[in-house]
Structures are given as structure tokens and as C-alpha cells.
Amino acid sequence: MRRVIVDSAIYRDGRRTPGPADLSDALDEARVTGDAFLWVGLYEPSEAEFAHVASEFALHPLAVEDALKAHQRPKLEVYDDSLFVVLKPVVYEPESDRVTSGELMVFIGDCFVVTVRHGEGAALAAVRKRLEAEPVVLRHGPTAVLYAVSDAVVDHYLDVAGELQVDLEELEADVFAPTGGNPSNTAERIYTAKRQVLEFRRASGPLAGPLARLATGSVPFVNEHAQPFFRDVNDHLLRSNDQVEGLDRLLSDVLSAHLAQMGVRQNDDMRKISAWAAMAAVPTMIAGIYGMNFDHMPELHWTWSYPALIVLMAGIVTGLYRLFKRRGWL
């Protein structure tokens, strides 16, 4: 258990206090005083390791199953003895321009909080440290922990959306550059960016429902006076969702513009090829006619016929070149 328990502490009157190492004793101590709660943080526990925690805190079997499988959509479930919230934090990797998501489960009870984290994102050490520095907020008990965790996750959504916005601006610059860049590489980058936005939407989109319930309705095990704080988190989430929706639409527009530009460039190439083929066809036709083995052909025995034909072919080719140049084909 020491391997999966990242941190465990009793908080009384908004301040961390020493308590028993055994979870059962610590929970009993928090319940006896009535003004304290126990916060246990776990990282990727196995079924056997989590079974002990689940039995100590009387967690619902369905919620325990969801916490172990770690492939859940963001949601909020209310059970008889606890509240179960699933969050999906996202992480932007600047080296690969990828968005990865983890999972964060929060169990809220009368005097306990159990957080279960899967993946490398959304480490809660910073959240716990910030809360411990604000005892006025931490005095509100488990509700304060739920608020701080959800606020940290949603605020990071805004940061990741900003990074994706920068990537989109770079793609737009490449697509509309005069040289056009590498068409195949640009298309691949646009498709990759859409995949990252889709990963983001899977994490942030479904969270709107649970946060709306926390912000507007009475949810068991959540302090009713906390609704304004959850409304603030919900506003940030809506802004993040609006950003990611805009990014998705802009990426579709950039892809359409890129495909249209590729079509235009191909048409330009075809026009250039056609123009050069037309200019090459005229001297080829004249040379082909006078290359036929007939005795009676016009100007065949004239002394100046050869230079005259060369000048004629050069004049026609020059005229075609100027015509195509004026029309933008060359």
C-alpha cells in the first residue's frame, strides 16, 4: 500500500495534522472529532491494493470498478455513502506536439476524500500544497478538495488550448506561405492536429454536464455554499470548450484551403505543361511535314527555305510564349 499511496493526511480546521498511519484508525479519528477529514491520494493501484481502501471507506463496487479500469468518460455519480467524480486531465507535449490524457477519480464522503490518479498528467502534489497554504478554503472540508482539483484540471485545459492555438497559427502560416511548403507533410500535420483536438474534446466535452450539476444543483456530500465556486470552474470549462470547438472548425477550414491550393497548383502545373507542349508542337509539326520524302513539295528547292522555316518556327514559338505569358500560363 505504501507504493500506491502518494500522500495521506488528516485536515482539521483547515490545517494538516499528524494522524495514525493506518487508514482505518485515521478515518475513525476524523469521524470522532467531526471537524476533520482524511485525504488519501493513490496512484494507479491494482485491484488487490485498492480493495483494502474500498473496504475501509465503504466505496460502491461500481465506482471501484470504474476507478480500476481507468477508461471512463468524465462523469458524476451519487451513491449512498459517497460521491464519485471522474475527471480527464490533459497534457501537451511540446517535443511531439501531442495531447495526452490521464484519468483522475475523486471519491467524496462525509469526512474523507480519496483521489485515484492514472497516467502522468495532473499530479495533485501542487494542488494539495496550494490548499494547505489556504486554510480558509481547506476549512470547507472535502468540497474544497473537489473544487481545487477540478479547478486545476480545467485551468490546465485553457493552457493546452493556448498551445494548440499556437500550433494552428503555424499551420496557417505554412499553408498560406508563397512557396506552399511540403504538401504531403502539411496535410499530415493538419490531420495530426485534428487528432489532438479530438483527444482534447474527449476529455473536456463530457465534463460540462457534471460541472453544471455541481454549479446549479444540490449534490450530496457537496457544500451548498460552494455553488458559486463551481460556477466559476464551469465558466472556465465553457470557455475552453468554445476554444477547442473553434480550433476544430479552423483546422477543417485550413485543410479545405490546403486542398484547394493543391488543386490550384496542379492546375498551374498542367497549364505550364500544356503551354510548353503547344510551343513544342509547332516546330515539330513543321519539321515533320518537311521531313517527308516527297519530290514535289513547296519551297523544297528554294535556297532560303531552310533559314526561312527556322525563322518561321522561332517566330511562332515566340508569339505563343508571349501569349501564354500574358495570360498567366507561364
Side-chain angles (χ1 to χ4, degrees):
M1 286 303 300
R2 288 296 177 187
R3 183 179 66 84
V4 298
I5 296 180
V6 178
D7 199 353
S8 176
I10 295 177
Y11 295 89
R12 181 175 290 105
D13 195 27
R15 299 187 181 278
R16 183 170 182 145
T17 60
D22 184 75
L23 291 181
S24 179
D25 295 338
L27 182 60
D28 291 340
E29 181 177 326
R31 281 176 172 162
V32 166
T33 58
D35 60 347
F37 71 95
L38 174 65
W39 181 1
V40 179
L42 307 176
Y43 178 68
E44 295 186 353
S46 66
E47 183 175 354
E49 291 166 336
F50 196 51
H52 173 67
V53 178
S55 62
E56 291 293 343
F57 293 94
L59 303 180
H60 196 280
L62 293 178
V64 171
E65 182 181 357
D66 289 344
L68 289 172
K69 287 186 176 179
H71 292 288
Q72 308 297 319
R73 286 165 54 91
K75 62 180 180 178
L76 184 152
E77 298 286 350
V78 179
Y79 297 103
D80 294 336
D81 299 321
S82 62
L83 177 70
F84 179 58
V85 180
V86 178
L87 304 168
K88 290 185 74 70
V90 295
V91 176
Y92 179 82
E93 300 174 1
E95 297 82 6
S96 58
D97 294 336
R98 292 182 61 238
V99 173
T100 58
S101 62
E103 291 198 26
L104 182 59
M105 288 78 172
V106 184
F107 294 87
I108 301 291
D110 55 349
C111 59
F112 69 85
V113 179
V114 177
T115 55
V116 182
R117 183 166 63 91
H118 293 269
E120 297 301 324
L124 297 180
V127 177
R128 189 187 287 260
K129 185 176 180 180
R130 189 184 70 185
L131 278 175
E132 290 177 354
E134 299 177 358
V136 175
V137 178
L138 200 54
R139 237 179 241 125
H140 292 86
T143 300
V145 176
L146 178 60
Y147 160 70
V149 170
S150 58
D151 184 56
V153 170
V154 172
D155 282 349
H156 198 59
Y157 285 170
L158 295 172
D159 296 336
V160 174
E163 296 288 350
L164 291 176
Q165 180 67 41
V166 173
D167 291 345
L168 174 60
E169 291 172 358
E170 292 176 356
L171 279 173
E172 288 178 326
D174 288 344
V175 168
F176 295 106
T179 57
N182 186 343
S184 60
N185 183 50
T186 301
E188 180 182 356
R189 289 176 60 197
I190 295 173
Y191 178 74
T192 301
K194 286 188 72 69
R195 289 293 302 268
Q196 307 317 309
V197 170
L198 177 60
E199 183 71 18
F200 195 129
R201 293 178 65 180
R202 287 174 178 169
S204 64
L207 186 58
L211 277 182
R213 288 180 61 187
L214 291 169
T216 60
S218 178
V219 179
F221 306 104
V222 175
N223 192 319
E224 59 182 7
H225 300 294
Q227 290 183 8
F229 297 94
F230 285 110
R231 278 200 297 269
D232 180 67
V233 178
N234 192 44
D235 288 341
H236 290 178
L237 178 65
L238 293 177
R239 189 172 68 182
S240 171
N241 286 340
D242 288 342
Q243 280 186 266
V244 76
E245 288 289 341
L247 288 172
D248 189 53
R249 289 194 298 269
L250 283 173
L251 280 171
S252 298
D253 293 340
V254 169
L255 180 59
S256 299
H258 174 65
L259 295 177
Q261 284 191 335
M262 288 184 62
V264 170
R265 292 192 186 102
Q266 289 176 348
N267 288 338
D268 288 341
D269 293 341
M270 288 303 299
R271 285 192 298 180
K272 291 178 181 179
I273 293 171
S274 300
W276 287 111
M279 288 188 291
V282 172
T284 301
M285 180 187 67
I286 295 175
I289 291 174
Y290 278 90
M292 291 185 290
N293 297 320
F294 293 109
D295 290 333
H296 303 287
M297 293 183 66
E299 312 300 340
L300 190 62
H301 300 287
W302 184 40
T303 304
W304 298 99
S305 60
Y306 175 75
L309 286 175
I310 295 297
V311 170
L312 176 63
M313 288 188 288
I316 294 174
V317 170
T318 301
L320 288 174
Y321 178 82
R322 290 181 176 178
L323 174 64
F324 293 142
K325 193 74 173 178
R326 186 168 59 249
R327 293 188 176 183
W329 284 38
L330 291 173

